[in-house]
Amino acid sequence: MELNERQDFFSRVYELETAAETQDLYDEWATTYESDVTDHGYETPARCASALASCMDNLSAPVLDFGCGTGLSGQALVAAGFTAIDGADINGAMLELARSKQVYRELIQTSIDNPIPPEIGVYGAVSAIGSIGIGAAQAPVLEQLLVAMGPSMLLAFSLNDHTLEQPVYVDTLSRFVSAGSHEVAFEDYGPHLTELNLKSRVWVVRRLD
C-alpha cells in the first residue's frame, strides 16, 4: 500500500457516519493500522493503561479491553502490570492480529448491534482505549458501558481532539457524574498522535452504586 493511501485512512476515519461504515473501513485498514498509528506516535494506550493501574488496588483483577483492535491496547495494559486481560471487538480481522500478541486470556467478537459482551459484570475494570469517539464507537456506546458497569468497577477511556469537539461525549459522562452514580477518579489531557499534533483526554471513572 502506498504511503498516501495509508495516510488517507486518518482523514477518512473522522468522516465516518455509521457503525457499518466504521466496520468496513477497519476491515480495509486492519493490516496496516498498527504500523500506521505507531509511526505517528500513538501515546494514548500507555497513558490510559497507566491511569487505570494508578486507580486499581489489584492488578490481577480481570480487565476487559473493549474495542481491543489489533492488541496495542492489550500490550499497554500488560506493560502497566495487568495480568488477566480479555479483549472484545466487532472486527474479526483485527481480532486475529490481536490473538498473535498472546496477551489476552480470551478474545470475544461482538457485533455492531451488540458491541458490549453480556458478561461485562465479571470484570474489575474495562478499558476503552481509543475505541470511543468519531470513527469508532459513538456516544450511545459510552452510555451503554457506563450503565453496564457493576459497583466499584472502573472504566478507563479516551477521547481524542476530534471527538472532544462534539459535546455529546463529555455531556454523556457528565450526566452520570451529576446523578451521583459515577465519579471521576482520574482525568488528564495529553499526547495522542504526536506526529499529527493531536491530543486526547483520558478518564478513569468509578461506578459508585
Side-chain angles (χ1 to χ4, degrees):
M1 184 177 296
E2 296 296 330
L3 179 61
N4 60 341
E5 291 179 293
R6 294 174 62 183
Q7 291 175 332
D8 186 50
F9 285 119
F10 287 101
S11 60
R12 290 169 57 195
V13 73
Y14 299 120
E15 298 172 355
L16 300 171
E17 296 182 356
T18 69
E21 289 176 353
T22 302
Q23 173 79 311
D24 289 343
L25 182 134
Y26 281 101
D27 280 341
E28 185 181 351
W29 199 2
T31 56
T32 65
Y33 171 83
E34 188 167 318
S35 60
D36 289 348
V37 295
T38 54
D39 288 349
H40 284 81
Y42 191 28
E43 300 287 344
T44 295
R47 291 177 54 227
C48 265
S50 176
L52 182 58
S54 74
C55 296
M56 288 191 72
D57 296 326
N58 179 13
L59 298 187
S60 65
V63 175
L64 176 66
D65 185 12
F66 174 79
C68 65
T70 63
L72 283 175
S73 48
Q75 289 179 313
L77 290 165
V78 168
F82 293 97
T83 59
I85 308 163
D86 294 342
D89 203 284
I90 66 172
N91 190 284
M94 287 197 163
L95 283 174
E96 286 307 308
L97 294 170
R99 194 179 310 279
S100 69
K101 300 289 193 303
Q102 298 184 335
V103 297
Y104 295 103
R105 301 183 309 174
E106 181 181 2
L107 287 169
I108 306 160
Q109 184 167 3
T110 56
S111 68
I112 291 174
D113 294 332
N114 296 289
I116 301 173
E119 60 272 19
I120 190 173
V122 305
Y123 296 98
V126 176
S127 65
I129 300 174
S131 59
I132 301 290
I134 298 171
Q138 297 184 359
V141 177
L142 174 59
E143 180 162 355
Q144 291 171 37
L145 284 170
L146 292 165
V147 168
M149 294 169 67
S152 300
M153 183 183 288
L154 294 171
L155 169 65
F157 71 100
S158 62
L159 301 177
N160 63 37
D161 281 337
H162 292 287
T163 301
L164 290 168
E165 293 174 357
Q166 303 295 324
V168 63
Y169 293 88
V170 176
D171 288 350
T172 296
L173 173 61
S174 296
R175 280 194 289 108
F176 284 83
V177 173
S178 296
S181 61
H182 296 67
E183 67 175 5
V184 174
F186 179 96
E187 183 177 351
D188 176 67
Y189 184 65
H192 175 53
L193 291 169
T194 56
E195 294 300 312
L196 297 178
N197 197 31
L198 284 174
K199 294 186 176 183
S200 64
R201 190 169 295 278
V202 168
W203 283 268
V204 179
V205 179
R206 180 181 290 108
R207 175 75 182 257
L208 295 176
D209 60 0

